[in-house]
């Protein structure tokens, strides 16, 4: 495909992906629709386990670089940005309105323009049996250990140790799970 044709097709393909994603992921969480959603993500390069639940309004893009285990539950209006890679372990609950970000804009030096400065991509890894509360933000490059709990409205700026409870902005250790 020559360069000019590619420049014309790429925006069309991106917007088409977004339209299909928005329509498909607006469907209710009936098992048959969840299977269709998982199939769509697999077709776009994701690895999806069994019995993944997607409430309406979930946004997972670009889809590739996503690895979701079995029985992952994405609540209403969860956003997962997968360009840097996102791995979520088995039996993990992702609360309403949570954002998991594996990519971010680069802040250029010397007051250069932010627009067009590029992106910084870092993988996010969430262990198995994790509970992420509502409206949490997980920043690029973070790891949330197995069995951890992240309190509602927290911002995860540092790694979370396994079997701990963290909360706040930035998220801080509340206690270890017994």
């Amino acid at each position: 495909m020559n360069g000019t044709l590619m420049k014309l097709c790429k925006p069309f393909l991106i917007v088409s992906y977004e339209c299909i994603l928005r329509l498909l992921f607006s469907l209710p969480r009936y098992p048959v629709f969840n299977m269709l959603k998982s199939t769509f993500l697999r077709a776009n390069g994701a690895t999806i386990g069994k019995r993944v639940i997607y409430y309406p309004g979930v946004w997972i893009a670009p889809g590739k670089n996503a690895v979701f285990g079995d029985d992952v539950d994405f609540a209403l209006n969860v956003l997962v940005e997968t360009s840097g890679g996102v791995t979520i372990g088995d039996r993990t609950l992702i609360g309403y309105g949570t954002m998991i970000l594996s990519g971010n804009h680069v802040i250029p030096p010397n007051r250069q323009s932010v627009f067009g400065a590029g992106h910084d991509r870092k993988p996010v890894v969430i262990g198995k049996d994790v509970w992420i509360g509502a409206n949490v933000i997980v920043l690029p490059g973070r790891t949330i250990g197995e069995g951890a709990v992240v309190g509602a409205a927290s911002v995860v700026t540092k790694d979370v140790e396994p079997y701990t409870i963290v909360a706040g902005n930035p998220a801080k250790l509340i206690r270890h799970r017994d």
Side-chain angles (χ1 to χ4, degrees), residues 81 100-104 120-124 138-142 156-157:
E81 193 284 327
I100 300 169
L101 310 170
S102 66
N104 205 349
D120 187 22
R121 294 176 172 90
K122 296 177 184 170
V124 172
V138 180
L139 295 178
R142 301 292 49 108
V156 178
T157 61

Side-chain angles (χ1 to χ4, degrees), residues 138-172:
V138 180
L139 295 178
R142 301 292 49 108
T143 295
I144 299 174
E146 179 178 343
V149 176
V150 180
S154 296
V155 179
V156 178
T157 61
K158 295 182 179 174
D159 291 350
V160 176
E161 294 297 317
Y163 298 99
T164 58
I165 300 171
V166 300
N169 180 4
K172 294 183 179 168

Side-chain angles (χ1 to χ4, degrees), residues 117-131:
H119 295 86
D120 187 22
R121 294 176 172 90
K122 296 177 184 170
V124 172
V125 178
I126 299 171
K128 64 182 179 180
D129 295 309
V130 171
W131 175 20

